[in-house]
Amino acid sequence: MKIAIDAMGGDHAPKVIVEGAMKAVNHYSDLHITLIGDEKQIKSYLTNESKISIIHTDEIIESTDEPVRAVRRKKNASMVLMAKEVSEGRAEACISAGNTGALMAAGLFVVGRIDGIDRPALSPTLPTIDSQGFLFLDVGANVDAKPEHLLQYGIMGSIYAKQVRGIENPRVGLLNVGTEEKKGNELTKQAFDLLKNAELNFIGNVESRDLLEGVADVVVTDGFTGNVTLKTIEGSALSIFSMLKTVLTSNVKSKIAASILKPQLIGLKQKMDYSEYGGACLFGLKAPVIKAHGSSDANAVFNAVRQAREMVEKNVAETISNTVATLNIDK
């Protein structure tokens, strides 16, 4: 299996990208990774070249670049060349921790959109108290959405949850301001009817306060609401751990207590770290495209590779394409 990775994307590139790639090829005997980026920088961290190749480029897409313009003008940027590896058949999936908007543009313009999917969705798997996690889409690929887009999100998310995460009959929920059927704005009311009549295990509306309780396996919403919700969850988790650290280091007694609780606290932090599930998938494209978090470490890169590999193995993109082809969704 061949996976292409943008070695220059992310806050700690290329060091953690290279380290994560080496960990992945050591773990999976059938895996070959192509790293795209500055060859000199990559090789300074590459201690095992077995099953890893490099495509050199000194052009990158910065976080400050306008996404669409950057993809169109920077033809030799590491992210664009990564996507070309997939579109031209030399790789089966690709991963980047770089500019999210640019990755979305590269996915659409270079990898290509599945026929019948109007707008791809950016979809991370977030942790839950029971450690099962839930797939959340869309979290920002498209700020606005139509009801049929949310239906497509539900279909794509359900396929992923079943084929990759092994959930036999995934529960699909619609994020809303209340659980009653008639709650919400026109978007959610119309989306509710579409989801209810689809061949999905649709459980109805779910509220944001219940997400981490594991109320659903797949939760769909528009990109604006999803992004705000995602960042609220991230910020709340960081604030809670910051407050815990302050309390547990405030005096000698609390420091002693902290030393006793350290293994449990580390375990709790890992449990709430969504990078353990991999990156955020860009569902709706012809091949798996994974957006790793900008602050990814080597372990997060490894998990993104694992996720991409599973999507290829389970034919997720092909199954989405075949499923959508059988639908008749009024536009």
Side-chain angles (χ1 to χ4, degrees):
M1 184 179 297
K2 297 180 179 179
I3 294 176
I5 304 180
D6 170 15
M8 310 311 290
D11 301 339
H12 309 296
K15 183 176 185 292
V16 300
I17 308 298
V18 175
E19 291 172 349
M22 288 191 294
K23 182 177 179 180
V25 296
N26 287 336
H27 187 81
Y28 297 111
S29 60
D30 64 341
L31 180 65
H32 182 277
I33 289 178
T34 300
L35 296 174
I36 299 96
D38 187 301
E39 185 172 17
K40 184 177 180 181
Q41 290 189 55
I42 292 170
K43 282 194 169 182
S44 68
Y45 300 108
L46 192 61
T47 58
N48 175 18
E49 296 186 34
S50 173
K51 299 186 291 183
I52 293 179
S53 57
I54 301 171
I55 295 176
H56 172 72
T57 181
D58 54 12
E59 189 170 30
I60 63 174
I61 293 177
E62 304 286 354
S63 61
T64 54
D65 284 340
E66 196 283 317
V68 174
R69 185 179 293 111
V71 169
R72 286 177 172 166
R73 293 183 178 179
K74 295 185 173 182
K75 301 294 186 182
N76 292 314
S78 56
M79 185 185 292
V80 176
L81 294 179
M82 171 202 74
K84 284 183 67 176
E85 288 297 293
V86 175
S87 67
E88 296 177 2
R90 292 183 294 274
E92 296 163 273
C94 59
I95 301 165
S96 176
N99 184 311
T100 302
L103 183 61
M104 180 70 185
L108 282 171
F109 301 147
V110 184
V111 176
R113 177 174 53 84
I114 291 172
D115 290 338
I117 295 296
D118 300 316
R119 296 182 180 181
L122 185 62
S123 319
T125 297
L126 300 183
T128 53
I129 291 172
D130 62 5
S131 299
Q132 296 304 304
F134 73 97
L135 187 69
F136 193 31
L137 62 171
D138 175 29
V139 299
N142 304 285
V143 175
D144 298 311
K146 296 179 180 179
E148 57 267 24
H149 299 156
L150 300 192
L151 171 59
Q152 292 170 9
Y153 297 167
I155 292 166
M156 293 190 292
S158 188
I159 289 170
Y160 177 84
K162 184 174 182 178
Q163 295 195 193
V164 174
R165 305 203 61 228
I167 302 170
E168 184 58 33
N169 193 23
R171 299 163 297 156
V172 179
L174 173 64
L175 187 62
N176 209 332
V177 295
T179 58
E180 299 86 352
E181 181 172 343
K182 299 302 180 182
K183 282 282 190 176
N185 54 20
E186 283 305 307
L187 170 64
T188 55
K189 289 175 183 177
Q190 292 179 39
F192 188 101
D193 290 335
L194 290 176
L195 289 161
K196 182 175 65 174
N197 294 313
E199 294 183 6
L200 296 169
N201 181 17
F202 180 55
I203 62 169
N205 292 323
V206 297
E207 294 184 274
S208 57
R209 66 182 178 183
D210 297 322
L211 294 180
L212 300 188
E213 295 284 345
V215 66
D217 303 303
V218 177
V219 177
V220 299
T221 188
D222 62 275
F224 180 87
T225 305
N227 191 270
V228 170
T229 304
L230 174 66
K231 288 177 178 175
T232 300
I233 291 172
E234 285 182 326
S236 297
L238 290 171
S239 297
I240 289 169
F241 280 110
S242 178
M243 287 187 287
L244 277 173
K245 183 177 180 180
T246 300
V247 170
L248 293 173
T249 56
S250 60
N251 55 56
V252 175
K253 286 184 179 180
S254 62
K255 288 179 181 179
I256 294 172
S259 65
I260 297 171
L261 292 172
K262 186 176 181 180
Q264 287 76 20
L265 292 171
I266 292 174
L268 177 61
K269 188 173 183 180
Q270 290 175 339
K271 184 176 181 178
M272 299 307 294
D273 182 4
Y274 65 84
S275 69
E276 293 292 324
Y277 294 92
C281 305
L282 274 170
F283 287 116
L285 301 177
K286 292 180 178 178
V289 176
I290 306 295
K291 170 63 176 76
H293 201 285
S295 61
S296 290
D297 58 13
N299 190 55
V301 174
F302 168 80
N303 283 318
V305 172
R306 172 187 53 73
Q307 182 181 23
R309 187 176 181 277
E310 289 175 343
M311 290 184 71
V312 173
E313 279 189 329
K314 303 296 175 60
N315 298 311
V316 172
E318 182 181 353
T319 304
I320 290 172
S321 180
N322 292 338
T323 302
V324 173
T326 67
L327 302 177
N328 182 19
I329 302 173
D330 293 330
K331 301 295 179 68

